[in-house]
Amino acid sequence: MAKTAQDVMQLIREQGIKMVDFKMVDINGQYRHVTIPAQNFTEATMTDGIGFDASNYGYAVVEKSDMVFIPDPATAQIDPFCEVSTLSMTGNAMIIDYPHNRPLDQYPRNIVLAAEQYMCDTGIADTMLILPEFEFYLFDDVAWKVAPNEIGMSLDAEQAHWNGDINGRGVIVPRQGHYHIAKPLDRTYECRSEMCLRMEEAGIPIKYHHPEVGGAGQFEIEPKLGEMSKMADATMLIKYIIHNTALKYGKSATFMPKPVYGEAGSGMHVHMLLLKDGEPVFSDDNGYSHLSREAHWFMGGLLKHIHSLCAITNPSTNSFKRLVPGFEAPVTVGYATSNRSAVIRIPAYAKTPNMRRFELRNPDATCNPYFCYAALLMAGLDGIENKIDPHENGWGPYDVNLYTLSDEEKAKLQGLPTSLDAALDALEADHDYLTKGGVFPEALLRSFIAAKRRECAAMAAIPHPAEFERYYNL
């Protein structure tokens, strides 16, 4: 791992690097990049940075948009998807100032670092470990069009149930019957294995990969637990690897939460735990599900703020098409052990003290991972600081199948927001826990909410093909 500009230049010489690529992250959590010839990389690159227009990334008004990107040498690695030998790096954005530049507090990577610093300052913990589960679909074909005279989409996966009459080889997966299916029905094993090998080469340890429930080509790759800031970087890289490897195999990958009507949606469940001086904060042999009071308070903070968190963890209109009953998606504000219908699930298999944890099941991978992970930490810390007990607040534990309750019992439960607009309303009303210690700047939240409001309005104005089926002949 490179630590200095000299290390990077040595790597460039040893590997015959021709280009150095700088990957930056916009407000939506998407990579942008700029590339320089390798011979132009010097020690000054690490101090003076690379200039860019932050207004096009969603962070600043145009009049104050000139920023510089400072690469982090520890992130340097060869990009396997570039035919020209390319060294890739990410880093942090800085505001141009005198005599020294200062961090752009709205930049996602800086948000995560600020959240980690706030955690240390509270004395509650010094490390947050997280494990995001990456669910996604792989399609053989996908197309869409939004025009005044034509609105629609089409997609295809060779093994999908709708191809039973044309496949010709009988290699068809039933609807919702894809979970852990083996060859020959598992058609993308080699593709996913290469994805995992690429991730391992990039320094991201992988736990496993497998087919998920959705019969039209849904899969999951799960890394091992990692420190929050490093896992935020890894999340961007994992998505980059999945997209690019899929294209190599003639497939298209999507992290859309609900790309296929009638099939399981794709989430990004986030497991989390805290450490202090290397010791687990969340473990207690005598607590419910062997979790400490701090763990319960952390869950209480997540559940108290879950409606506003949804604007950050589920920031697409499509996100809320996934959060519906019947597809193993969470719909109830509550916690339980081994229960996938509650928004917080405590995995029973995490038995050892240093692995005891819980997962938040509502997030999906359309989120900006830096914002998502930092917001989860800030909500949990707020729960610990204010001793928010989830049981006393009526959020569980729900050790029953919440999908099968009577309508009378279901009416007593608190549900997640049903739309992005509703989640944004909640974020406007409840975000003080995010701005503690200056972690999330008010200006960033205002920009984020305004951008998402415009997105909601634009999507709501487009006629939907299903509306023609329902209303055309009335």
Side-chain angles (χ1 to χ4, degrees):
M1 180 182 294
K3 296 182 179 179
T4 66
Q6 289 293 337
D7 293 337
V8 174
M9 288 187 283
Q10 182 177 347
L11 186 60
I12 289 171
R13 290 191 298 270
E14 290 176 349
Q15 299 295 325
I17 299 297
K18 303 298 182 185
M19 294 288 168
V20 179
D21 191 56
F22 303 106
K23 289 182 173 66
M24 296 169 276
V25 184
D26 67 18
I27 196 171
N28 292 316
Q30 189 164 34
Y31 268 150
R32 311 269 186 125
H33 76 145
V34 62
T35 311
I36 64 172
Q39 66 265 26
N40 292 351
F41 185 91
T42 66
E43 290 192 18
T45 310
M46 301 295 299
T47 55
D48 299 342
I50 306 294
F52 73 103
D53 178 0
S55 65
N56 282 307
Y57 285 57
Y59 298 124
V61 296
V62 174
E63 305 90 271
K64 301 177 181 178
S65 62
D66 284 345
M67 305 285 173
V68 290
F69 172 80
I70 303 296
D72 180 352
T75 66
Q77 57 186 272
I78 296 172
D79 191 323
F81 303 106
C82 297
E83 292 186 16
V84 175
S85 57
T86 300
L87 189 70
S88 176
M89 303 172 71
T90 188
N92 298 324
M94 309 287 283
I95 295 173
I96 298 173
D97 204 352
Y98 300 96
H100 303 294
N101 296 333
R102 52 191 171 87
L104 172 62
D105 59 1
Q106 297 184 43
Y107 192 66
R109 215 160 178 261
N110 291 330
I111 296 279
V112 162
L113 296 175
E116 287 183 327
Q117 184 60 54
Y118 179 82
M119 170 182 61
C120 293
D121 292 343
T122 65
I124 293 170
D126 51 39
T127 303
M128 182 182 188
L129 298 181
I130 63 171
L131 186 166
E133 301 177 8
F134 296 91
E135 296 177 338
F136 58 96
Y137 274 85
L138 290 173
F139 298 125
D140 293 296
D141 293 289
V142 63
W144 61 85
K145 187 172 184 179
V146 181
N149 67 322
E150 189 176 352
I151 301 171
M153 53 75 65
S154 64
L155 51 81
D156 198 21
E158 189 177 11
Q159 78 276 15
H161 64 89
W162 58 74
N163 285 325
D165 61 337
I166 61 173
N167 181 284
R169 293 185 296 277
V171 187
I172 295 297
V173 178
R175 174 184 169 274
Q176 291 286 88
H178 198 227
Y179 189 71
H180 286 193
I181 204 77
K183 280 177 170 283
L185 297 174
D186 182 3
R187 305 301 300 275
T188 63
Y189 172 79
E190 281 73 21
C191 175
R192 299 191 323 272
S193 291
E194 181 168 332
M195 290 174 181
C196 292
L197 290 173
R198 294 292 187 194
M199 293 172 196
E200 291 272 359
E201 290 169 2
I204 305 169
I206 298 300
K207 184 177 178 182
Y208 52 54
H209 69 85
H210 61 82
E212 255 298 342
V213 172
Q218 189 186 33
F219 305 94
E220 178 179 316
I221 293 178
E222 187 172 312
K224 294 182 179 180
L225 283 162
E227 292 182 22
M228 184 181 74
S229 55
K230 293 179 180 178
M231 189 56 74
D233 285 342
T235 296
M236 295 297 300
L237 198 50
I238 286 170
K239 292 178 66 176
Y240 181 76
I241 290 170
I242 289 173
H243 280 302
N244 282 281
T245 308
L247 287 174
K248 175 182 174 181
Y249 281 80
K251 308 284 184 180
S252 176
T254 183
F255 293 90
M256 274 185 70
K258 195 73 170 184
V260 186
Y261 172 62
E263 289 277 23
S266 295
M268 188 184 73
H269 311 151
V270 181
H271 298 244
M272 58 196 91
L273 60 91
L274 298 182
L275 301 176
K276 185 174 182 180
D277 299 324
E279 296 298 320
V281 175
F282 285 176
S283 179
D284 183 350
D285 288 338
N286 298 315
Y288 169 80
S289 208
H290 305 295
L291 292 180
S292 67
R293 61 179 187 173
E294 288 82 4
H296 285 83
W297 293 336
F298 196 104
M299 289 191 291
L302 292 172
L303 294 171
K304 176 184 177 181
H305 299 297
I306 193 64
H307 287 78
S308 60
L309 280 171
C310 278
I312 296 172
T313 59
N314 304 83
S316 73
T317 58
N318 186 256
S319 296
F320 297 87
K321 291 179 169 62
R322 166 183 164 252
L323 299 177
V324 296
F327 295 92
E328 292 194 9
V331 293
T332 302
V333 177
Y335 73 103
T337 302
S338 302
N339 191 332
R340 287 171 167 79
S341 53
V343 72
I344 292 180
R345 169 180 167 266
I346 303 166
Y349 58 77
K351 295 180 179 180
T352 58
N354 63 340
M355 295 297 288
R356 287 171 182 164
R357 62 185 188 272
F358 44 81
E359 65 169 347
L360 189 69
R361 293 180 59 80
N362 64 292
D364 64 63
T366 62
C367 71
N368 184 319
Y370 300 89
F371 295 164
C372 173
Y373 302 153
L376 298 184
L377 176 57
M378 295 302 289
L381 292 175
D382 184 68
I384 293 176
E385 290 173 312
N386 291 288
K387 300 181 179 179
I388 301 171
D389 188 290
H391 178 66
E392 291 179 0
N393 281 276
W395 294 320
Y398 294 127
D399 293 324
V400 296
N401 187 338
L402 298 174
Y403 298 136
T404 60
L405 293 178
S406 67
D407 290 341
E408 182 180 356
E409 289 297 317
K410 286 180 181 178
K412 300 176 183 178
L413 303 176
Q414 184 181 0
L416 295 176
T418 57
S419 70
L420 180 55
D421 264 322
L424 292 169
D425 289 342
L427 182 59
E428 283 186 326
D430 174 32
H431 60 261
D432 288 351
Y433 67 99
L434 296 173
T435 58
K436 284 182 180 178
V439 172
F440 277 84
E442 285 275 2
L444 171 63
L445 294 175
R446 288 195 299 270
S447 296
F448 180 84
I449 291 170
K452 289 298 174 180
R453 291 286 193 201
R454 292 191 295 270
E455 195 174 300
C456 289
M459 297 298 285
I462 301 171
H464 192 287
E467 292 177 313
F468 282 78
E469 182 177 50
R470 187 171 294 271
Y471 305 124
Y472 186 82
N473 286 306
L474 290 182

